[in-house]
Amino acid sequence: MKNKNGYTIPELLIIVGVLGLIALVTITKVSFAFSQINNPEEQKELTNTLVEQASIAYAKSKKEEFMEEDKYIYAKEVASAGFLFEKEEYNTLKIKIKYIKDTKTFEAEVVE
């Protein structure tokens, strides 16, 4: 009887091929994710969505103040109330908050 110590060449080639395929897929997915992060238009859209959602939460906390008519505020006000992190770009970001009576909800829209 012959003792087998180790792997044959075809087994090693299959293992290297599978590891190479996993590395290729992983690198492709990670590079795509980073390219999306560095896209300035995508960043602006995500920032606007975040500010709009935080503004809705802020308006709900001060319901009576925002129910009467459409109101314009700056994102800096929302940040100083603790609904957003303080950022320099929030100083000039203007938001329109609107109360919808039918559904009793708030809408927020970033207007620049």
Side-chain angles (χ1 to χ4, degrees), residues 2 22 30 33-34 47 52 57 60-61 63-65 75 80 86 92 104 111:
K2 188 176 177 185
I22 290 171
V30 168
F34 279 114
T47 299
E52 288 169 358
K60 285 179 182 177
S61 73
K63 199 174 207 173
E64 289 76 30
E65 186 179 330
S80 65
E86 297 280 340
T92 58
K104 296 182 181 178
V111 291

Side-chain angles (χ1 to χ4, degrees), residues 9 27 104:
I9 290 179
I27 289 170
K104 296 182 181 178

Side-chain angles (χ1 to χ4, degrees), residues 39-51:
N39 185 349
E41 294 158 4
E42 188 83 20
Q43 282 287 355
K44 185 175 181 180
E45 185 178 325
L46 289 173
T47 299
N48 287 351
T49 302
L50 174 69
V51 169

Side-chain angles (χ1 to χ4, degrees), residues 45-89:
E45 185 178 325
L46 289 173
T47 299
N48 287 351
T49 302
L50 174 69
V51 169
E52 288 169 358
Q53 293 301 313
S55 299
I56 290 171
Y58 176 67
K60 285 179 182 177
S61 73
K62 297 187 169 236
K63 199 174 207 173
E64 289 76 30
E65 186 179 330
F66 290 95
M67 286 177 67
E68 296 157 8
E69 60 185 44
D70 295 354
K71 191 166 185 180
Y72 291 89
I73 61 170
Y74 285 97
K76 184 177 182 177
E77 182 179 337
V78 178
S80 65
F83 290 91
L84 286 170
F85 288 111
E86 297 280 340
K87 282 181 120 180
E88 186 70 31
E89 66 186 270

